Amino acid sequence: MLYPELFKSLEAARWNMATDIPWDQFDRSLVSEEQLRTIKMNAVTEWSALPATEMFLRDNRDDSDFSAFMSIWFYEEQKHALVLMEYLRRFAPEYLPTEEELHNVRFEFDPAPAMETLMLHFCGEIRLTHWYKCAAQWHSEPVIRSIYEVLSKDEARHAGIYLKYMRRAIERLGDSARLAFAKIGVLMANTKTAKALHPTNLHVNKNMYPEDSVQSHLPDPGWLEQWLDTQIHFDAIWEGKVVNGILRNLSTLLEVPIQSAKDLSRYRKAMSSAERDPSGHLAAG
């Protein structure tokens, strides 16, 4: 089981909201109304870890080890929402999300294959790591800068843990796990489509379509693209860091050289062909 050691490592890295955030350094002149609105949107988005956890527990009923890890992931993601809300409560209470706004992002996700969902969230954590790093640079107010830097480190740790469970899945399931990871990796590493691709803006409940993404349930459903494109300026250089992080880790995980999305796509096609023809042989390179 991975959970016992993961618990120890995450406990050692845990930060204290009361003492590790420099609340006394707040400078109201350095944060705009525009920025406060985006802090609110991120707080509500982080709250959606609640329905995501419900999905993970439902779809991984046969994996108690991973389900136990969800207790930590859920705690830390809800803590992200809480620290952003605490910032607003202290310094801009007029932007504090209401309970109704938070509850609006809790709805049921359709069942989905566990391996594809695991890979999707691994990619999502890498993306959030860099979104929050970029957001910290956009802000000049020291307290919110510090908060986004702390959240970015948490998301990076979460990505590392998802990667451990992906490695375990390959040990247990072999090529079916490899193919699932490659399929989602091709989608998430495509720079033409992936810029805002994250679990919170994917369609997850066909009966609610088109309002079946987390972002569609936010007070301002269109805020994310504006935040990325015209506010924090998450440009091609930043996007390259996300894609390189995904490809580099997949290359190590799959034990094949993957330097581009095209390399990964070729690997996926070869895996798919081998799956259709069990007598086929997939070369390591």
Side-chain angles (χ1 to χ4, degrees):
M1 290 181 65
L2 299 177
Y3 173 69
E5 291 303 315
L6 295 177
F7 181 88
K8 292 178 184 177
S9 66
L10 289 170
E11 280 285 292
R14 183 155 294 152
W15 50 275
N16 186 297
M17 190 160 65
T19 59
D20 292 330
I21 304 299
W23 300 110
D24 59 347
Q25 296 180 20
F26 177 72
D27 186 339
R28 182 63 179 85
S29 68
L30 295 179
V31 62
S32 68
E33 303 297 314
E34 172 190 36
Q35 290 172 322
L36 290 169
R37 283 191 291 271
T38 67
I39 295 168
K40 174 179 178 175
M41 293 301 109
N42 271 319
V44 179
T45 300
E46 287 282 4
W47 193 266
S48 69
L50 174 53
T53 301
E54 292 172 324
M55 170 202 67
F56 272 126
L57 293 176
R58 180 199 63 205
D59 295 346
N60 289 273
R61 292 185 63 85
D62 60 344
D63 189 345
S64 291
D65 183 14
F66 180 76
S67 297
F69 163 64
M70 279 294 103
S71 68
I72 305 176
W73 183 78
F74 179 46
Y75 169 82
E76 294 193 349
E77 294 293 341
Q78 293 297 110
K79 188 178 177 184
H80 293 176
L82 193 60
V83 73
L84 293 169
M85 291 163 61
E86 178 64 12
Y87 181 89
L88 296 173
R89 186 192 69 79
R90 288 177 181 239
F91 307 126
E94 65 274 21
Y95 288 98
L96 190 65
T98 66
E99 183 174 353
E100 181 181 5
E101 288 172 328
L102 295 171
H103 185 67
N104 280 344
V105 299
R106 186 183 186 186
F107 59 96
E108 187 171 3
F109 297 177
D110 287 339
M115 292 301 98
E116 280 84 346
T117 302
L118 178 61
M119 176 60 182
L120 184 65
H121 279 260
F122 164 71
C123 296
E125 299 287 4
I126 291 180
R127 185 166 293 284
L128 268 182
T129 297
H130 292 290
W131 280 359
Y132 285 160
K133 281 184 180 180
C134 187
Q137 294 183 16
W138 177 52
H139 285 276
S140 55
E141 198 289 304
V143 180
I144 194 61
R145 282 185 68 126
S146 175
I147 289 172
Y148 277 127
E149 288 166 358
V150 166
L151 301 193
S152 176
K153 293 174 183 177
D154 273 0
E155 306 297 6
R157 279 189 288 271
H158 295 167
I161 291 171
Y162 280 129
L163 187 63
K164 289 179 185 293
Y165 279 106
M166 290 163 64
R167 184 170 290 111
R168 189 197 63 171
I170 287 177
E171 292 171 357
R172 294 181 175 182
L173 303 174
D175 285 350
S176 64
R178 292 185 180 93
L179 180 58
F181 299 154
K183 285 167 59 178
I184 299 299
V186 169
L187 175 68
M188 300 301 282
N190 185 337
T191 56
K192 294 181 180 179
T193 61
K195 186 170 184 181
L197 274 185
H198 184 266
T200 63
N201 62 9
L202 299 180
H203 296 289
V204 293
N205 186 318
K206 62 183 180 181
N207 291 330
M208 298 174 65
Y209 184 84
E211 295 183 354
D212 63 329
S213 69
V214 168
Q215 293 298 332
S216 69
H217 287 249
L218 263 65
D220 178 5
W223 82 280
L224 183 60
E225 288 191 9
Q226 181 182 4
W227 185 60
L228 294 171
D229 294 341
T230 66
Q231 294 173 321
I232 68 173
H233 297 290
F234 198 83
D235 58 18
I237 294 175
W238 280 104
E239 185 60 30
K241 295 178 181 180
V242 174
V243 172
N244 288 339
I246 294 171
L247 296 178
R248 183 179 64 253
N249 281 287
L250 274 183
S251 181
T252 301
L253 180 70
L254 301 174
E255 298 181 319
V256 293
I258 298 173
Q259 298 181 347
S260 68
K262 288 184 178 180
D263 289 342
L264 182 57
S265 180
R266 282 192 289 268
Y267 174 86
R268 179 191 63 79
K269 290 176 181 177
M271 288 295 299
S272 297
S273 297
E275 185 180 59
R276 288 192 298 269
D277 179 12
S279 65
H281 176 68
L282 179 66

